[in-house]
Amino acid sequence: MRAILISDVIHLATALAHHPLKERGAVLDLWLDQTRAAAKFTRRMGRPHNLWGDGSLTSRALLSFGAQKRTHHHQGTEFLRVLALVADRLAGVGQTGMKPLY
């Protein structure tokens, strides 16, 4: 999986907000697995995976819903709940070769 950026967190939360509350954790876990697989595919094949993107979380999130649904949910308590779920899941994702930002 490529390095996790703040834009990944926001895009994942925005895409995840389109799913029912009870499904969000499972959907997010699936996307994380697919993103890891897409990163391997991209390295091996030299091109992004058709369904899962280029190994970045943003590409996976953007591919999860069509252009007609790309509305922003960057406000309100519901978006904050989704954002918290994403942040919690990503806090457990290890990344190699990354230096701390501080």
Side-chain angles (χ1 to χ4, degrees):
M1 180 182 315
R2 292 172 58 177
I4 298 172
L5 307 173
I6 190 66
S7 58
D8 294 318
V9 176
I10 293 168
H11 284 116
L12 280 174
T14 301
L16 208 55
H18 292 283
H19 290 270
L21 179 64
K22 292 183 180 186
E23 296 176 10
R24 290 177 183 164
V27 169
L28 181 55
D29 290 339
L30 176 64
W31 288 351
L32 292 173
D33 289 342
Q34 291 172 341
T35 301
R36 287 183 192 102
K40 289 178 184 177
F41 179 90
T42 300
R43 281 192 302 273
R44 239 182 257 138
M45 304 303 281
R47 64 178 176 83
H49 189 279
N50 291 341
L51 299 175
W52 302 336
D54 62 7
S56 71
L57 291 168
T58 292
S59 70
R60 180 63 192 97
L62 293 177
L63 289 168
S64 70
F65 57 105
Q68 72 276 9
K69 291 186 179 179
R70 288 188 185 177
T71 58
H72 297 283
H73 293 85
H74 297 235
Q75 59 184 352
T77 56
E78 185 59 26
F79 182 73
L80 290 176
R81 286 187 185 102
V82 179
L83 199 58
L85 171 65
V86 171
D88 182 59
R89 284 294 202 290
L90 293 181
V93 174
Q95 296 187 53
T96 58
M98 292 205 47
K99 296 180 181 177
L101 297 175
Y102 48 89

